[in-house]
Coordinates of all heavy atoms in Angstrom, one line a residue:
L97 N 12.6 10.3 8.1 CA 12.1 11.2 7.0 C 12.6 10.6 5.7 O 13.8 10.7 5.4 CB 12.7 12.6 7.3 CG 12.2 13.3 8.6 CD1 12.7 14.5 8.9 CD2 10.6 13.4 8.6
V98 N 11.8 10.2 4.8 CA 12.1 9.7 3.5 C 11.0 10.1 2.6 O 9.8 9.9 2.8 CB 12.2 8.1 3.6 CG1 12.6 7.6 2.2 CG2 13.0 7.6 4.7
D99 N 11.4 10.6 1.4 CA 10.5 10.9 0.3 C 10.4 9.7 -0.6 O 11.4 9.4 -1.3 CB 11.0 12.2 -0.5 CG 10.0 12.5 -1.5 OD1 9.2 11.8 -2.0 OD2 10.1 13.8 -1.9
M100 N 9.4 9.0 -0.6 CA 9.2 7.7 -1.3 C 9.2 7.9 -2.8 O 9.4 7.0 -3.7 CB 8.0 7.0 -0.8 CG 7.9 6.5 0.4 SD 9.2 5.2 0.9 CE 8.6 3.9 -0.2
S101 N 9.2 9.1 -3.3 CA 9.2 9.4 -4.8 C 10.7 9.6 -5.3 O 10.9 9.8 -6.4 CB 8.4 10.7 -5.1 OG 9.0 11.9 -4.7
K102 N 11.7 9.6 -4.3 CA 13.0 9.8 -4.6 C 13.8 8.5 -4.5 O 14.2 8.1 -3.3 CB 13.6 11.0 -3.9 CG 12.9 12.3 -4.0 CD 13.6 13.4 -3.2 CE 12.9 14.7 -3.5 NZ 13.5 15.7 -2.6
P103 N 14.1 7.8 -5.6 CA 14.8 6.5 -5.4 C 16.0 6.5 -4.5 O 16.3 5.6 -3.7 CB 15.0 6.1 -6.8 CG 14.0 6.8 -7.7 CD 13.8 8.2 -6.9
R104 N 16.9 7.5 -4.8 CA 18.1 7.5 -4.0 C 17.9 7.7 -2.5 O 18.6 7.2 -1.8 CB 19.0 8.6 -4.6 CG 19.5 8.3 -6.0 CD 20.5 9.3 -6.5 NE 21.0 9.0 -7.9 CZ 20.4 9.3 -8.9 NH1 19.3 10.1 -8.9 NH2 20.8 9.0 -10.2
D105 N 16.9 8.5 -2.2 CA 16.6 8.7 -0.8 C 16.1 7.3 -0.1 O 16.5 7.1 1.0 CB 15.4 9.6 -0.5 CG 15.9 11.1 -0.8 OD1 17.0 11.3 -1.0 OD2 15.1 12.1 -0.4
V106 N 15.3 6.6 -1.0 CA 14.8 5.3 -0.4 C 15.9 4.3 -0.2 O 16.0 3.6 0.8 CB 13.7 4.7 -1.3 CG1 13.3 3.3 -0.9 CG2 12.5 5.7 -1.4
I107 N 16.8 4.2 -1.2 CA 17.9 3.4 -1.1 C 18.9 3.7 0.0 O 19.3 2.9 0.8 CB 18.7 3.3 -2.5 CG1 17.8 2.7 -3.6 CG2 20.0 2.6 -2.4 CD1 18.4 2.9 -5.0
R108 N 19.1 5.0 0.2 CA 20.1 5.5 1.2 C 19.4 5.1 2.6 O 20.2 4.7 3.5 CB 20.3 7.0 1.0 CG 21.3 7.6 2.0 CD 21.4 9.1 1.8 NE 21.7 9.4 0.4 CZ 20.8 10.1 -0.3 NH1 19.7 10.5 0.1 NH2 21.3 10.4 -1.6
F109 N 18.2 5.5 2.8 CA 17.6 5.1 4.0 C 17.6 3.6 4.3 O 18.0 3.2 5.4 CB 16.1 5.6 4.1 CG 15.3 4.9 5.2 CD1 15.6 5.2 6.4 CD2 14.3 4.0 4.8 CE1 14.7 4.5 7.5 CE2 13.5 3.3 5.8 CZ 13.8 3.7 7.1
S110 N 17.3 2.8 3.3 CA 17.2 1.3 3.6 C 18.6 0.8 3.9 O 18.7 -0.1 4.8 CB 16.8 0.7 2.2 OG 15.5 1.1 1.9
E111 N 19.6 1.3 3.2 CA 21.0 0.8 3.5 C 21.5 1.3 4.8 O 22.1 0.5 5.6 CB 21.9 1.3 2.4 CG 21.7 0.8 1.0 CD 21.7 -0.8 1.0 OE1 22.7 -1.4 1.5 OE2 20.8 -1.4 0.6
T112 N 21.2 2.5 5.2 CA 21.4 2.9 6.7 C 20.8 2.1 7.7 O 21.4 1.7 8.7 CB 21.1 4.5 6.7 OG1 21.8 5.2 5.8 CG2 21.4 4.9 8.2
F113 N 19.5 1.8 7.4 CA 18.7 1.0 8.4 C 19.4 -0.4 8.5 O 19.6 -0.9 9.7 CB 17.3 0.8 7.9 CG 16.4 0.3 8.9 CD1 15.7 0.9 9.9 CD2 16.2 -1.2 8.9 CE1 14.9 0.4 10.8 CE2 15.3 -1.8 9.9 CZ 14.7 -0.9 10.8
K114 N 19.8 -1.0 7.4 CA 20.4 -2.3 7.5 C 21.8 -2.2 8.3 O 22.1 -3.1 9.0 CB 20.7 -2.8 6.0 CG 19.4 -3.3 5.4 CD 19.8 -4.1 4.1 CE 20.3 -3.3 3.1 NZ 20.4 -4.0 1.8
S115 N 22.5 -1.2 7.9 CA 23.9 -1.1 8.5 C 23.9 -0.9 10.0 O 24.8 -1.2 10.8 CB 24.6 0.1 7.9 OG 24.1 1.4 8.2
E116 N 22.7 -0.3 10.5 CA 22.6 0.0 12.0 C 22.2 -1.4 12.6 O 22.2 -1.4 13.9 CB 21.5 0.9 12.2 CG 21.9 2.4 11.7 CD 20.8 3.4 11.9 OE1 19.6 3.0 12.1 OE2 21.1 4.6 11.7
G117 N 21.9 -2.4 12.0 CA 21.6 -3.7 12.6 C 20.3 -3.8 13.3 O 20.1 -4.6 14.2
Q118 N 19.4 -2.9 13.0 CA 18.1 -3.0 13.7 C 17.2 -4.0 13.1 O 17.2 -4.3 11.9 CB 17.4 -1.6 13.5 CG 18.0 -0.4 14.0 CD 17.3 0.9 13.9 OE1 16.2 0.9 14.6 NE2 17.6 1.8 13.1
P119 N 16.5 -4.7 14.0 CA 15.6 -5.8 13.5 C 14.3 -5.2 12.9 O 13.9 -4.1 13.2 CB 15.2 -6.5 14.8 CG 15.3 -5.5 15.9 CD 16.4 -4.5 15.5
L120 N 13.7 -6.0 12.0 CA 12.5 -5.6 11.4 C 11.6 -6.9 11.1 O 12.2 -7.7 10.4 CB 12.7 -4.8 10.1 CG 11.5 -4.3 9.4 CD1 10.7 -3.3 10.3 CD2 11.8 -3.7 8.0
N121 N 10.4 -7.1 11.6 CA 9.6 -8.1 11.4 C 8.6 -7.9 10.3 O 8.3 -8.8 9.6 CB 8.9 -8.6 12.7 CG 9.8 -9.0 13.8 OD1 10.2 -8.1 14.6 ND2 10.2 -10.2 13.8
V122 N 8.2 -6.7 10.2 CA 7.0 -6.4 9.3 C 7.3 -5.1 8.6 O 7.5 -4.1 9.3 CB 5.7 -6.4 10.0 CG1 4.4 -6.2 9.0 CG2 5.4 -7.7 10.7
L123 N 7.2 -5.0 7.3 CA 7.1 -3.8 6.5 C 5.7 -3.6 6.0 O 5.2 -4.5 5.3 CB 8.2 -3.9 5.4 CG 8.1 -2.8 4.4 CD1 8.4 -1.4 5.0 CD2 9.1 -3.1 3.2
I124 N 5.1 -2.4 6.3 CA 3.8 -2.0 5.7 C 4.0 -1.0 4.8 O 4.3 0.2 5.1 CB 2.9 -1.7 6.8 CG1 2.7 -2.9 7.7 CG2 1.5 -1.3 6.2 CD1 1.7 -2.5 8.9
N125 N 4.0 -1.3 3.4 CA 4.1 -0.3 2.4 C 2.7 0.4 2.2 O 1.8 -0.1 1.5 CB 4.6 -0.8 1.1 CG 6.0 -1.2 1.1 OD1 6.8 -0.3 1.1 ND2 6.3 -2.5 1.0

Side-chain angles (χ1 to χ4, degrees):
L97 298 176
V98 184
D99 188 335
M100 294 296 293
S101 73
K102 297 180 179 180
R104 291 183 181 88
D105 281 8
V106 176
I107 294 170
R108 188 180 304 115
F109 162 68
S110 303
E111 293 305 307
T112 299
F113 189 89
K114 284 194 293 188
S115 69
E116 292 173 348
Q118 300 188 67
L120 183 65
N121 298 93
V122 181
L123 170 62
I124 301 176
N125 285 297

